[in-house]
Amino acid sequence: MKKKFKRVFSALLAVITVFSATAVFGSSTYAAESETTPVVSGDAGAVAVEASTEPSEATEPTVPVTEPSTTATEPTTAPATQPTTKPAPKVGNVKNIVKTSFLTDKITLTWDKVSGASGYYIYYKNADSSNTFKKIAEVKSNSCTVSKLSHTTQYHFKISAYVVQDGKKYEGAGSVKKTATQPGNITGLGKLHSYDVLEFAWNRNTKATGYKIYRASDETKGKYVLYKTITNNKTNCFADKNVKLGKNYSYRVKSYRELYTVCCYNGASSEIKFTAGMCAPNFSMTSQLSRVSLTWKKNKYATGYDLYYATSKSGPYSKLGSTKNDYFNTGKLSNNKTYYFRVQPYKQQGSNKITGTFHTKAQKVTKNAYGTNIGDTYIEISLKQQHMWYYRNGQLYCHTDVVTGNDDGYHNTPKGAFSIWQRQSPTTLYGPGYASYVNYWMAFTYSGVGIHDSSWRSNSEYGGNTYKGNGSHGCVNTPYSAVKKIYQKAGYGTRVVVY
């Protein structure tokens, strides 16, 4: 029994051994998959990889056993492939950058197109205050304009081209353009002297190298020529002593800045015109009855005079009016208030008006006259203006041109504050060598000076300069219609102020 069992066990062990040997041999016959070769293709430089993934076949040997053999297949996966990329493109440099604008607040640049460029980067720096470039724009074309810049300021621009490849931008080396904005207009240009020396000044441009003065005169037949170059930036005035009285001179002033040894940036010019000899009038002032009276000596080169006033010395100044006379009487101003006045001569040449220089003086306004409180009802007579006003309760009732006493030192109408003490209608006035019949008579001095009509005068004689050589014996000659109106309202005691 034992022997029989041993024979069966031995046979079974042999079968197991043969089966085991067959399985090990089958596993070693699967060769590794072959290496794949990548293929580069695609749009815009994209990389695509294609590989064969089919495994090679192997045949297992047949082993004679009592039971069918078993075949094991273990395919393997090919290793992952790495895509390849294009090399970075070469980007050309920007060349021939040119400034094409000449403005104070913007700069336009153009340059040659770079072959193959997708666009351009723009960098800049204010070279007066910074050493660092800052990117400010990206453009597709070969030009750009940079705005909102400061005048008379140097700016450096760096421009570089870029190329887009595989969705990435490749930037080339930058090229630098050194340039500047143009200087601004001269501001604050004003006259200082306008007699035998013509002097003017202007606001200083702190970034300018200096200033150029151009002059036009009869000597140059009205054409501007470079007359003086001021190389010191701190000098912002100019005095021309080479002038002739009565002659006209025009000047143009422009600032300039020198940069980069060869470049000069010039600003726009500002113009100022003179007539030599047309200096500031030295005027005097008095105040009475809430007015200010201004008088001065005439300038023979002036056509007329403009008058300005303000409530502070620094202004602003408003125009009071213009006159060709050597005096001016203001309208009613605020009592006890100080005003500042200017008298500026001018010369009119066709449509051109050349102004002279001026002084500024202050005057406090008073409603009194000659230290007397006049009140609100009075007759006011201006000898300079040869004019008379009648105010009732502070309101102007009537006014008229008149002829006062002859300005010869003997028959002048007296100045001062008076009152009407005599009224007659009609009456005859007597004096040395004359007897004059008048319709209305109002005496305001005890020496016999008064207001009356004067039928012997024509209407054209009233006002103006008649009193200089053809004035009265001292009385105030008045047109009939005006004196009648005043006589009907002005009673005894009505104040009369002559100045």
Side-chain angles (χ1 to χ4, degrees):
M1 183 66 177
K2 290 182 179 180
K3 292 181 178 180
K4 185 178 180 178
F5 175 78
K6 288 181 179 181
R7 287 194 297 269
V8 172
F9 179 80
S10 298
L12 179 60
L13 182 60
V15 171
I16 293 172
T17 301
V18 171
F19 179 80
S20 177
T22 303
V24 172
F25 178 80
S27 175
S28 65
T29 58
Y30 269 93
E33 295 176 343
S34 61
E35 297 266 340
T36 61
T37 303
V39 177
V40 180
S41 64
D43 296 333
V47 179
V49 179
E50 298 179 359
S52 172
T53 58
E54 294 183 1
S56 57
E57 296 181 352
T59 305
E60 296 181 357
T62 303
V63 180
V65 292
T66 56
E67 293 190 18
S69 62
T70 303
T71 303
T73 304
E74 296 180 6
T76 58
T77 303
T81 59
Q82 298 295 326
T84 60
T85 57
K86 292 180 180 180
K90 292 183 178 180
V91 184
N93 291 348
V94 170
K95 295 180 180 180
N96 298 324
I97 304 175
V98 178
K99 174 186 173 184
T100 61
S101 62
F102 299 91
L103 302 172
T104 60
D105 60 348
K106 64 177 62 176
I107 291 176
T108 298
L109 301 171
T110 62
W111 55 90
D112 293 346
K113 289 183 178 181
V114 175
S115 178
S118 303
Y120 305 89
Y121 290 129
I122 313 298
Y123 302 82
Y124 97 125
K125 67 178 178 181
N126 180 333
D128 285 337
S129 60
S130 175
N131 292 320
T132 305
F133 278 103
K134 177 183 178 181
K135 183 189 288 186
I136 56 172
E138 177 181 336
V139 299
K140 300 297 183 182
S141 63
N142 59 324
S143 67
C144 73
T145 297
V146 183
S147 303
K148 296 183 179 179
L149 302 176
S150 300
H151 67 80
T152 330
T153 303
Q154 58 175 333
Y155 291 95
H156 293 178
F157 294 89
K158 183 170 68 174
I159 304 176
S160 58
Y162 68 83
V163 172
V164 177
Q165 179 176 289
D166 299 335
K168 182 180 179 180
K169 292 180 179 178
Y170 294 86
E171 183 177 359
S175 298
V176 175
K177 173 67 175 180
K178 296 180 179 181
T179 185
T181 50
Q182 303 302 116
N185 286 352
I186 293 292
T187 61
L189 187 60
K191 299 173 181 178
L192 301 179
H193 296 94
S194 58
Y195 189 63
D196 55 350
V197 174
L198 305 182
E199 186 176 8
F200 50 94
W202 57 89
N203 295 333
R204 191 166 69 92
N205 183 340
T206 58
K207 294 183 179 180
T209 301
Y211 306 92
K212 294 181 180 180
I213 312 295
Y214 298 80
R215 189 178 90 160
S217 64
D218 291 342
E219 297 171 2
T220 62
K221 297 181 180 180
K223 294 182 179 180
Y224 279 97
V225 296
L226 182 61
Y227 192 62
K228 176 71 174 180
T229 298
I230 299 174
T231 58
N232 181 3
N233 169 267
K234 294 182 180 180
T235 300
N236 61 324
C237 63
F238 176 70
D240 188 4
K241 299 180 181 179
N242 185 26
V243 298
K244 296 179 181 179
L245 295 180
K247 297 295 183 179
N248 297 329
Y249 299 88
S250 299
Y251 301 87
R252 286 179 178 171
V253 186
K254 63 171 62 178
S255 58
Y256 72 92
R257 184 174 186 182
E258 290 182 347
L259 290 169
Y260 321 123
T261 68
V262 294
C263 291
C264 183
Y265 294 83
N266 295 306
S269 60
S270 298
E271 187 176 60
I272 191 168
K273 295 183 178 183
F274 287 85
T275 295
M278 199 162 63
C279 56
N282 185 18
F283 61 96
S284 61
M285 293 183 293
T286 59
S287 178
Q288 60 280 318
L289 306 174
S290 299
R291 296 180 186 270
V292 174
S293 298
L294 303 93
T295 58
W296 57 90
K297 185 178 179 180
K298 275 194 172 183
N299 186 308
K300 66 180 181 179
Y301 303 113
T303 302
Y305 306 85
D306 292 327
L307 293 101
Y308 300 87
Y309 79 122
T311 55
S312 68
K313 189 173 183 179
S314 59
Y317 283 81
S318 300
K319 189 174 182 179
L320 275 168
S322 299
T323 181
K324 294 184 178 181
N325 299 316
D326 54 358
Y327 58 86
F328 188 86
N329 201 31
T330 72
K332 297 287 185 179
L333 300 173
S334 297
N335 186 44
N336 289 325
K337 190 168 186 178
T338 299
Y339 292 84
Y340 296 83
F341 296 89
R342 292 173 175 175
V343 181
Q344 186 175 33
Y346 67 87
K347 182 178 181 179
Q348 194 71 43
Q349 289 189 315
S351 59
N352 294 322
K353 185 177 183 180
I354 303 174
T355 57
T357 50
F358 55 82
H359 296 307
T360 301
K361 293 185 177 183
Q363 176 66 49
K364 187 175 182 179
V365 174
T366 176
K367 67 178 181 180
N368 295 335
Y370 301 102
T372 302
N373 186 351
I374 302 301
D376 294 329
T377 299
Y378 55 87
I379 295 170
E380 176 184 353
I381 302 168
S382 169
L383 300 180
K384 282 287 187 180
Q385 295 190 48
Q386 291 291 286
H387 203 82
M388 180 166 63
W389 300 262
Y390 177 34
Y391 285 89
R392 287 179 55 81
N393 300 319
Q395 301 296 317
L396 181 62
Y397 180 69
C398 69
H399 66 99
T400 180
D401 285 336
V402 295
V403 176
T404 59
N406 199 44
D407 188 21
D408 55 8
Y410 298 99
H411 300 94
N412 300 74
T413 302
K415 298 177 182 179
F418 312 96
S419 297
I420 293 177
W421 68 274
Q422 186 180 50
R423 300 174 75 252
Q424 291 180 347
S425 177
T427 190
T428 300
L429 304 177
Y430 296 95
Y434 72 88
S436 301
Y437 174 87
V438 297
N439 292 281
Y440 301 98
W441 163 251
M442 294 172 283
F444 57 81
T445 74
Y446 293 107
S447 62
V449 175
I451 301 168
H452 61 79
D453 54 296
S454 45
S455 58
W456 55 91
R457 292 192 181 278
S458 65
N459 289 334
S460 62
E461 292 183 64
Y462 295 105
N465 293 318
T466 302
Y467 77 110
K468 293 183 177 182
N470 188 27
S472 71
H473 291 87
C475 288
V476 180
N477 292 179
T478 309
Y480 175 85
S481 59
V483 73
K484 178 181 178 180
K485 193 173 183 178
I486 294 172
Y487 185 88
Q488 291 172 346
K489 297 292 183 181
Y492 288 99
T494 298
R495 304 307 300 262
V496 178
V497 178
V498 183
Y499 57 87

